[in-house]
């Protein structure tokens, strides 16, 4: 077995980071900023240079994800150039899942059409909320009306595989606010819905306001109540929770994101993008200016070679994010040893604490319990 | 003939910040031991902690040569002394090695509480006090007023006191001449049996314990067999000599009146006690020098390694610190909450802080310290008296007839305008007013009797802040008094945390209990379940807080590049958890202990 197969299976994914937005949201700590057309063009030049430089046709790529930032702010022309470069320099399979992220304010019918032309067959739209109060707190630039229009634009352009992102646990969120957004989203019947708690990242304007007492702290009780409500409503609507924060209709799981949790290979292009190849995981520079200046060849911000032990523990940690739990058979196939032999004591202890439970499934004998979903970090920490 | 005629042994005493160390440096420079360029500022304050805090903790000693205006070459031994009230014993043993004391008084500040305390100590040791007025370069200086103050308040002649600016280098020569003229020469018996006073010691990995001595009578040579009189231990001298700043000059012998060091491969640090007398193993003195007293620590607390594996390292480190710090006492103890550690005795809170800091800096040991306690006397119904330095060992209240706590007599010197503030503060601290004296028209000395327990926390800091830094404090133990005291226990999730128990006056128990419960609520992170915090006296809850359970601990999102970042976050959390102590099922961070300790 090659190193690549041992560490991350036989196919690869591609992630492309688009570090631009109409306006930076108040909670966001991703590498992104507003930019003019010239900046975007120079950025795409650098991105193409990186893609050419790292050209690799030895591995079939069956997922592509254009994320951000907000890829929908790219000019149609630039989007086309990225698509062409990827196809020229990587072996993108015919059945590849190709996702583009979009925010409502920039997802016009023209953009949606251009994305289809680019080859995208999946679109992920960042609603976050449909409540005006919540959109204000988060510093989102769109309105509820705009969000619904954007979704409609996507569907009209031919996207049948749509994801919608929603946030819960927002500061000052009254009972029912999240539920209202969620019900409206369910009514749109997208293929996939992500529901995740707001994470207050240090240094963001929202975090600063909260630490200064200008904005109330998110209420954990509200957060959990809404999370459990979401799980129930989505199950009733035919969505399957396959990961802590991800729900999909049958056959519509995000293949690209599953790749991360199943510890498979990926190439990452653009600033702050991570790549995982063989036993090496590295992250590009987070400095957009430097990335552009160096023509996509700036010094890496992270570069780790993972030991076998680290890789195995990470496999478990990521696997426990999945509702079905880590795949013990795949573990044995890759590493030639069983998680039971290595982590039996830890698994017993976590089971005793009620965080994970046993299932009647030889390949995936353990998964997070309902309680474990709320306290998953305790499980993860056992494996870091 | 007597060699002793040309020797002058002296120390420098001063209130903190009056410029003692700066003057010492100038004297070193003037006597050519160091050129100005070689001078590292404040040479005698060796330890980082001393420089940072601007205080002297360890006595240092140097031998200097000075050709006086009478044309004679003199040998000076300068013995530096600590300046904080916590370290009075160190002062006392340094004084015992001298015949004179240079008293440095700030020309603007005048006489302060510690000036007086130090002078009285010097006079107790029969030292000749040589006053020096420092900082005359400052515009606010008023040397004549200060001279008068010295004469009136202390009662020693001061009209001829040298006027000095140690900082600028004015008047240093006058100080040296005054030392020659006013400090008496040593008058030991050069031919008598050896009597040498140990005034300091330290551990050297190659030489063993090195002791600093003042030869009172007789002489001693390399190769001699010596006896340490307190323990009777005998050793053969491998090396002896004089002390220069930062290095040693070996010689063949040390004679009566001289100051120097002796190394004798002393392996057992307990044998070389500061204050003890060194004599010859054969035909030595029959009586030791007077003045050796076991130092009595006044404040006790438990010290526990954060990592249980550091227990032996902590024992080792305490042993080494003790060698240079006669006042530090320790013995093993165990706590249900904290595991294996040591009960340690200190002179005061500053001493405690310094030991803690040295353990972490010099020995890299992470510590948890329990609430400091003084020594209580507990009189039981059956007539038995229990001497209690650890609240955990407090007898059952039903068996107690009455309790006594140690009292100090404290003098606070202050500008008159702050008298009201000081009275208020000292009343809060259960102080009893004894006396008020005017030193000048606008400066007074207030004398109080205060429970030591009230002084050791942050009395000094509060005093400073309520007098804009002008008040100065000195205190001495003055016996025990009957008092209404109770043991306050802290319960977490229904289980007692023995390390947080302390003894407190009944009137203050309620407020203290509430403050501690609040503080713990703030510093203990939320757990997976609700944690009640209770402050209890006997079986009665006097304060209660609840740490709400946290409802979630989950990274909602984890994609691509996030894996490295999120893993780091989880690792950091895991590291943080390791630093927590497990009490039953409750995890308590070290900071929680420290925050309670700082409450006072």
């Amino acid at each position: 077995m090659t190193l690549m197969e041992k560490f991350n299976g036989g196919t690869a994914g591609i992630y492309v980071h688009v570090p631009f937005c109409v306006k930076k949201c108040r909670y966001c700590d991703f590498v992104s900023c507003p930019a003019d057309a010239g900046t975007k063009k120079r950025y795409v030049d650098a991105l193409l240079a990186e893609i050419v430089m790292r050209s690799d046709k030895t591995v079939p790529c069956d997922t592509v994800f254009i994320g951000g930032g907000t890829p929908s702010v790219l000019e149609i022309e630039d989007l086309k150039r990225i698509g062409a470069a990827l196809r020229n320099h990587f072996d993108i399979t015919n059945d590849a899942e190709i996702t583009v992220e979009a925010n409502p304010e920039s997802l016009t019918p023209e953009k949606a059409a251009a994305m289809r032309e680019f080859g995208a067959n999946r679109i992920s739209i960042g609603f976050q909320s449909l409540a005006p109060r919540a959109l204000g707190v988060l510093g989102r630039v769109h309105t509820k009306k705009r969000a619904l229009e954007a979704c409609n634009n996507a569907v009209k352009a031919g996207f049948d595989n749509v994801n919608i992102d929603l946030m819960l646990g927002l500061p000052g969120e009254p009972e029912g606010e999240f539920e209202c957004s969620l019900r409206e989203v369910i009514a749109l019947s997208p293929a996939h819905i992500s529901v995740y708690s707001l994470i207050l990242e240090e240094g963001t304007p929202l975090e600063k306001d909260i630490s200064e007492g200008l904005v109330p702290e998110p209420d954990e009780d509200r957060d959990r109540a809404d999370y459990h409500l979401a799980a129930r409503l989505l199950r009733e609507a035919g969505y399957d929770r396959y990961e802590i924060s991800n729900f999909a209709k049958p056959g519509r799981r995000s293949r690209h994101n599953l790749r991360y949790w199943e510890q498979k290979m990926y190439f990452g292009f653009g600033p702050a993008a991570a790549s995982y190849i063989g036993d090496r995981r590295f992250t590009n520079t987070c400095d957009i200016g430097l990335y552009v200046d160096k023509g996509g060849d700036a010094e890496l911000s992270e570069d780790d070679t993972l030991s076998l032990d680290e890789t195995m523990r990470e496999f478990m940690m990521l696997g426990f994010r999945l509702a079905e739990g880590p795949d013990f058979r795949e573990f044995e196939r890759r590493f030639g040893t069983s998680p039971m032999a290595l982590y039996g004591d830890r698994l017993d202890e976590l089971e005793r604490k009620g965080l994970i439970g046993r299932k009647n499934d030889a390949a995936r004998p353990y998964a997070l319990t309902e309680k474990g979903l709320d306290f998953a970090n305790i499980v993860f920490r056992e494996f870091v | 003939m007597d060699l002793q005629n040309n020797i002058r042994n002296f120390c420098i005493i001063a209130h903190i910040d009056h410029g003692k160390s700066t003057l010492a440096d100038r004297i070193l420079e003037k006597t050519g031991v160091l050129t100005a360029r070689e001078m590292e500022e404040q040479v005698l304050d060796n330890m980082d902690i001393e420089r940072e805090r601007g205080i002297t903790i360890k006595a240092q000693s140097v031998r200097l040569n000075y050709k006086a205006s009478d044309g004679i070459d003199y040998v000076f031994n300068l013995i530096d002394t600590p300046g904080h009230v916590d370290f009075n014993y160190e002062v006392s043993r340094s004084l015992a090695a001298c015949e004179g004391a240079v008293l440095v008084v700030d020309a603007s500040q005048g006489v302060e509480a510690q000036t007086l305390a130090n002078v009285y100590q010097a006079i107790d040791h029969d030292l000749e006090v040589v006053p020096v007025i420092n900082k005359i370069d400052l515009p606010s200086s008023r040397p004549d007023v200060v001279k008068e103050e010295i004469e009136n308040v202390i009662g020693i002649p001061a009209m001829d006191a040298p006027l000095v600016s140690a900082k600028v280098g004015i008047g240093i020569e006058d100080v040296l001449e005054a030392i020659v003229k006013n400090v008496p020469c040593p008058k030991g018996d050069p031919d008598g049996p050896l009597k040498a006073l140990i005034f300091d010691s330290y551990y050297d990995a190659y030489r063993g314990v090195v002791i600093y001595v003042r030869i009172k009578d007789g002489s001693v040579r390399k190769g001699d067999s010596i006896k340490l009189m307190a323990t009777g231990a005998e050793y053969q001298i491998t090396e002896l000599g004089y002390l220069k700043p930062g290095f040693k000059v070996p010689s063949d012998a040390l004679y009566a009146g001289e100051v120097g060091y002796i190394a004798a491969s002393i392996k057992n640090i307990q044998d070389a006690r500061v204050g003890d007398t060194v004599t010859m193993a054969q035909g030595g003195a029959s009586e030791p020098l007077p003045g050796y007293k076991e130092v009595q620590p006044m404040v006790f607390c438990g010290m526990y390694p954060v990592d249980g594996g550091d227990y032996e390292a902590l024992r080792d480190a305490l042993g080494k610190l003790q060698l240079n710090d006669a006042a530090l006492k320790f013995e093993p103890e165990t706590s249900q909450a904290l595991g294996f550690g040591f009960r340690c005795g200190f002179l005061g809170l500053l001493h405690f802080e310094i030991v803690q800091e040295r353990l972490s800096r010099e020995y890299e040991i992470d510590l948890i310290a329990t609430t400091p306690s003084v020594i209580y006397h507990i009189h039981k119904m059956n007539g038995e008296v229990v001497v209690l330095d650890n609240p955990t060992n407090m007898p059952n209240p039903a068996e107690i007839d009455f309790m006594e706590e140690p009292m100090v007599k404290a003098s606070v010197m202050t500008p008159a305008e702050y008298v009201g503030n000081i009275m208020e503060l000292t009343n809060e601290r259960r102080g009893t007013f004894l006396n008020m004296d005017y030193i000048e028209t606008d400066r007074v000395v207030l004398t109080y009797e205060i429970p030591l327990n009230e002084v050791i926390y942050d009395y000094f800091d509060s005093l400073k802040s309520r007098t804009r830094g002008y008040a100065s404090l000195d205190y001495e133990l003055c016996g025990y008094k009957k008092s209404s005291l109770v043991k306050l226990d802290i319960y977490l999730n229904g289980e007692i945390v023995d390390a947080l128990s302390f003894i407190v006056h009944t009137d203050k128990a309620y407020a203290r209990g509430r403050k501690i419960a609040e503080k713990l609520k703030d510093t203990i992170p939320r757990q997976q379940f609700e944690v009640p915090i209770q402050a209890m006296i006997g079986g009665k809850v006097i304060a209660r807080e609840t740490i709400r359970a946290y409802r979630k601990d989950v990274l909602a999102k984890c994609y691509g590049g996030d894996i490295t970042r999120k893993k780091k976050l989880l690792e950091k959390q895991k590291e943080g958890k390791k630093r927590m102590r497990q009490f039953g099922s409750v995890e308590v961070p070290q900071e929680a202990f420290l925050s309670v300790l700082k409450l006072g």
Side-chain angles (χ1 to χ4, degrees):
Chain A
M1 202 188 308
T2 64
L3 191 66
M4 208 102 86
E5 285 169 316
K6 181 164 186 148
F7 279 84
N8 38 40
T11 59
I14 292 174
Y15 176 80
V16 175
H17 190 69
V18 178
F20 303 118
C21 286
V22 170
K23 177 178 157 256
K24 191 144 176 109
C25 298
R26 308 199 77 236
Y27 61 90
C28 175
D29 80 330
F30 283 106
V31 174
S32 67
C33 62
D36 57 36
T39 307
K40 289 180 200 166
K41 186 181 172 304
R42 280 196 301 283
Y43 166 72
V44 174
D45 291 344
L47 181 69
L48 297 191
E50 190 192 1
I51 291 171
V52 171
M53 186 181 67
R54 293 175 56 192
S55 158
D56 186 338
K57 288 205 164 183
T58 61
V59 199
C61 296
D62 61 5
T63 68
V64 175
F65 197 103
I66 316 290
T70 311
S72 50
V73 302
L74 282 184
E75 305 302 322
I76 290 169
E77 198 46 46
D78 286 334
L79 203 56
K80 284 184 182 161
R81 288 164 68 206
I82 295 171
L86 289 176
R87 287 181 200 284
N88 285 336
H89 296 277
F90 287 86
D91 174 20
I92 295 170
T93 60
N94 288 332
D95 64 347
E97 172 196 272
I98 299 177
T99 309
V100 181
E101 274 189 324
N103 275 325
E105 65 279 0
S106 49
L107 188 58
T108 57
E110 296 72 32
K111 280 276 166 68
M115 285 174 179
R116 289 292 294 162
E117 205 174 316
F118 162 89
N121 48 29
R122 185 171 182 271
I123 189 164
S124 174
I125 312 174
F127 276 22
Q128 315 314 348
S129 176
L130 292 175
R133 189 205 69 88
L135 292 169
V137 168
L138 294 172
R140 301 289 292 179
V141 290
H142 62 81
T143 58
K144 171 179 164 182
K145 181 163 168 278
R146 186 73 204 102
L148 298 176
E149 275 170 24
C151 185
N152 195 31
N153 292 342
V155 173
K156 275 194 180 150
F159 282 104
D160 63 346
N161 194 355
V162 176
N163 168 59
I164 287 176
D165 275 351
L166 276 182
M167 272 190 189
L168 50 80
L170 305 183
E173 190 160 59
E175 189 179 351
E177 186 180 85
F178 167 78
E179 181 180 351
C180 202
S181 295
L182 178 65
R183 284 186 186 279
E184 291 192 63
V185 169
I186 290 174
L188 295 173
S189 192
H192 190 284
I193 300 176
S194 289
V195 173
Y196 55 95
S197 299
L198 169 70
I199 302 173
L200 288 172
E201 300 286 358
E202 222 169 297
T204 57
L206 184 60
E207 186 266 343
K208 198 163 155 275
D209 281 358
I210 289 174
S211 70
E212 284 170 10
L214 300 172
V215 171
E217 233 172 276
D219 176 359
E220 283 192 358
D221 292 339
R222 173 88 275 127
D223 175 296
R224 285 300 94 182
D226 282 343
Y227 178 74
H228 295 299
L229 173 79
R232 184 170 62 81
L233 291 182
L234 287 165
R235 191 177 56 240
E236 286 167 9
Y239 293 87
D240 169 39
R241 173 168 61 195
Y242 68 102
E243 194 260 359
I244 293 175
S245 307
N246 286 281
F247 301 77
K249 286 190 177 169
R252 297 297 199 171
R253 296 179 179 192
S254 162
R255 279 157 53 194
H256 185 81
N257 285 335
L258 275 170
R259 178 172 287 287
Y260 296 129
W261 303 316
E262 288 173 349
Q263 205 179 47
K264 290 180 178 166
M265 175 172 170
Y266 45 89
F267 297 98
F269 300 106
S275 301
Y276 182 43
I277 300 163
D279 57 354
R280 184 169 168 236
R281 185 167 53 223
F282 56 92
T283 308
N284 284 351
T285 178
C286 298
D287 184 332
I288 303 170
L290 188 70
Y291 179 84
V292 171
D293 288 348
K294 297 273 179 187
D297 192 18
E299 204 185 324
L300 301 173
S301 70
E302 304 269 357
D303 191 356
D304 298 319
T305 301
L306 280 77
S307 69
L308 182 62
D309 172 57
E310 259 180 294
T311 308
M312 291 191 293
R313 284 184 287 119
E314 204 172 89
F315 184 98
M316 297 298 287
M317 182 189 100
L318 293 167
F320 269 117
R321 293 198 68 88
L322 298 170
E324 292 161 352
D327 186 339
F328 280 31
R329 287 227 176 106
E330 176 65 13
F331 188 100
E332 282 162 30
R333 195 188 67 76
R334 285 195 204 182
F335 308 117
T337 174
S338 84
M340 283 308 216
L342 291 173
Y343 311 119
D345 291 351
R346 278 177 243 204
L347 294 167
D348 285 348
E349 176 67 13
L350 291 169
E351 190 183 358
R352 201 186 54 71
K353 287 184 179 164
L355 297 168
I356 62 173
R358 266 183 179 276
K359 298 181 299 166
N360 197 10
D361 178 347
R364 299 174 185 264
Y366 286 100
L368 294 179
T369 57
E370 278 298 316
K371 180 180 170 192
L373 286 162
D374 292 341
F375 298 101
N377 286 354
I378 300 174
V379 177
F380 302 155
R381 282 195 292 264
E382 279 302 318
F383 295 99
V384 298
Chain B
M1 70 120 260
D2 203 338
L3 279 169
Q4 295 187 76
N5 286 341
N6 298 344
I7 298 177
R8 296 292 182 270
N9 296 320
F10 66 97
C11 56
I12 306 178
I13 55 180
H15 185 75
I16 196 160
D17 281 346
H18 280 199
K20 185 179 60 139
S21 298
T22 318
L23 178 64
D25 291 347
R26 281 300 162 226
I27 291 176
L28 261 52
E29 196 183 296
K30 204 78 186 170
T31 52
V33 177
L34 297 170
T35 65
R37 278 188 56 204
E38 289 167 333
M39 292 272 309
E40 194 178 345
E41 209 174 324
Q42 302 198 348
V43 172
L44 293 183
D45 288 347
N46 268 334
M47 282 190 270
D48 286 347
I49 302 175
E50 291 183 322
R51 292 227 182 98
E52 283 165 25
R53 294 188 178 224
I55 53 170
T56 307
I57 300 161
K58 288 294 300 164
Q60 300 280 323
S61 172
V62 280
R63 180 181 165 116
L64 317 162
N65 298 305
Y66 176 63
K67 194 181 186 75
S69 57
D70 60 11
I72 298 173
D73 286 314
Y74 288 89
V75 170
F76 280 6
N77 287 299
L78 162 57
I79 295 161
D80 198 16
T81 59
H84 189 275
V85 59
D86 270 11
F87 299 102
N88 270 336
Y89 180 74
E90 300 241 353
V91 176
S92 131
R93 70 201 200 195
S94 302
L95 296 182
C98 305
E99 277 78 35
V102 172
L103 169 68
V104 183
V105 182
D106 184 309
S108 328
Q109 308 282 327
V111 173
E112 299 270 10
Q114 278 166 34
T115 318
L116 276 181
N118 288 332
V119 168
Y120 292 145
Q121 241 183 335
I123 292 171
D124 281 348
H125 283 86
D126 290 327
L127 302 196
E128 189 64 35
V129 177
V130 180
V132 165
I133 316 292
N134 191 22
K135 305 199 188 178
I136 56 154
D137 57 308
L138 295 182
S140 57
S141 78
R142 36 181 193 131
D144 292 335
V145 178
V146 170
K147 278 182 185 176
E148 238 174 89
E149 202 175 277
I150 294 173
E151 297 207 334
N152 295 339
V153 180
I154 305 178
I156 56 170
M159 284 310 149
D160 297 332
L163 299 181
V164 174
S165 166
K167 194 173 126 209
V168 184
I170 303 169
I172 310 302
E173 199 79 33
D174 298 341
V175 177
L176 296 172
E177 289 297 325
I179 291 168
V180 169
K181 208 171 111 213
N182 299 331
V183 174
C185 63
K187 294 191 180 61
D189 177 358
D191 305 315
L194 173 68
K195 278 187 185 179
L197 171 75
I198 304 179
F199 66 87
D200 199 3
S201 66
Y202 74 96
Y203 188 84
D204 180 301
Y206 302 104
R207 296 180 173 110
V209 179
V210 177
I211 53 177
Y212 289 4
V213 292
R214 156 70 196 274
I215 313 289
K216 292 282 189 178
D217 295 327
S219 59
V220 62
R221 300 184 162 276
K222 190 173 164 179
D224 282 349
S225 288
I226 51 164
K227 181 161 84 178
L228 302 162
M229 293 185 78
T231 58
E234 295 183 9
Y235 295 96
Q236 193 176 21
I237 296 179
T238 54
E239 187 185 325
L240 52 68
Y242 308 119
L243 301 157
K244 294 279 183 183
F247 63 99
K248 298 182 172 55
V249 185
S251 74
D252 295 331
L254 289 171
Y255 301 96
E258 290 192 314
V259 172
Y261 71 94
I262 295 177
S265 302
I266 303 173
K267 289 285 172 277
N268 185 355
I269 60 174
Q270 302 302 333
D271 285 346
R273 295 186 187 166
V274 168
D276 193 10
T277 302
V278 181
T279 190
M280 289 297 173
Q282 302 294 321
S286 49
E287 286 292 311
L289 293 161
Y292 172 72
K293 60 170 185 186
E294 188 99 12
V295 204
Q296 295 305 329
M298 300 208 271
V299 179
F300 291 81
C301 76
M303 284 195 162
Y304 293 82
V306 170
D307 176 353
D310 281 343
Y311 177 74
E312 284 304 324
L314 176 59
R315 181 203 297 278
D316 234 47
L318 283 168
K320 286 190 176 145
L321 287 183
Q322 191 181 46
L323 183 66
N324 298 42
D325 185 349
L328 171 65
K329 297 278 186 301
F330 67 94
E331 58 184 43
E333 75 166 4
T334 47
S335 150
Q336 286 165 8
L338 302 174
F340 292 97
F342 296 92
R343 193 80 193 155
C344 300
F346 306 96
L347 295 171
L349 264 205
L350 177 68
H351 186 210
F352 158 67
E353 277 175 30
I354 283 162
V355 168
Q356 205 180 12
E357 219 168 304
R358 290 188 67 186
L359 286 170
S360 86
R361 273 198 213 187
E362 294 169 30
Y363 299 93
E364 293 178 356
I365 300 173
D366 277 341
L367 291 172
I368 294 181
T370 64
T371 315
S373 170
V374 299
I375 302 176
Y376 296 97
H377 290 171
I378 298 175
H379 297 258
K380 290 169 71 171
M381 294 293 189
N382 62 10
E384 197 189 328
V385 180
V386 178
V387 174
L388 187 79
D389 67 29
N390 186 346
T392 310
N393 303 330
M394 173 120 154
N396 183 339
E399 295 172 18
I400 297 173
D401 182 9
F402 65 94
M403 290 174 68
E404 291 179 314
E405 65 177 327
M407 306 295 292
V408 296
K409 196 172 148 189
S411 355
V412 180
M413 206 167 277
T414 177
E417 56 181 304
Y418 300 115
V419 166
N421 291 355
I422 292 171
M423 288 194 162
E424 193 188 326
L425 169 68
T426 314
N427 277 336
E428 285 166 17
R429 302 300 171 100
R430 298 190 283 130
T432 310
F433 173 79
L434 297 179
N435 200 5
M436 178 159 94
D437 271 332
Y438 276 83
I439 318 172
E440 294 173 65
T441 48
D442 58 348
R443 268 162 53 86
V444 298
V445 186
L446 294 160
T447 315
Y448 275 95
E449 190 179 67
I450 315 177
L452 175 62
N453 183 32
E454 299 287 339
V455 175
I456 59 167
Y457 293 107
D458 59 347
Y459 181 72
F460 186 61
D461 290 340
S462 309
L463 193 64
K464 284 280 178 197
S465 72
R466 294 204 199 180
T467 60
R468 303 174 68 201
Y470 281 111
S472 59
L473 168 73
D474 191 70
Y475 62 82
E476 58 182 3
L477 216 55
C478 67
Y480 274 74
K481 266 205 170 163
K482 203 166 161 177
S483 180
S484 171
L485 301 161
V486 287
K487 178 177 166 228
L488 203 154
D489 296 314
I490 301 294
Y491 285 73
L492 277 183
N493 205 25
E495 285 179 56
I496 187 166
V497 182
D498 58 358
L500 291 179
S501 295
F502 60 95
I503 289 167
V504 63
H505 191 265
T506 320
D507 293 350
K508 300 196 151 184
Y510 182 76
R512 277 285 289 281
R514 220 173 51 184
K515 247 167 127 186
I516 288 178
E518 281 166 10
K519 200 72 181 179
L520 287 174
K521 187 190 174 190
D522 289 347
T523 47
I524 298 175
R526 293 166 71 177
Q527 318 269 320
Q528 258 181 280
F529 42 87
E530 193 175 276
V531 179
I533 303 167
Q534 294 157 302
M536 308 228 292
I537 295 171
K540 196 175 148 230
V541 178
I542 59 159
R544 188 197 153 103
E545 291 284 343
T546 306
I547 304 169
R548 286 182 52 210
Y550 66 78
R551 300 295 309 278
K552 61 163 192 164
D553 181 8
V554 52
L555 293 169
K557 252 185 158 178
C558 184
Y559 300 116
D562 252 8
I563 293 171
T564 303
R565 240 182 62 179
K566 295 291 196 248
K567 240 174 89 178
K568 279 184 185 163
L569 186 69
L570 291 165
E571 274 161 16
K572 219 171 113 187
Q573 291 170 351
K574 199 170 176 175
E575 208 44 51
K577 295 230 173 257
K578 271 197 205 149
R579 293 178 58 83
M580 301 231 198
R581 283 277 167 177
Q582 194 86 26
F583 290 91
S585 43
V586 185
E587 287 172 329
V588 181
Q590 208 179 336
E591 296 75 49
F593 287 94
L594 294 178
S595 68
V596 169
L597 172 69
K598 289 241 185 282
L599 273 180

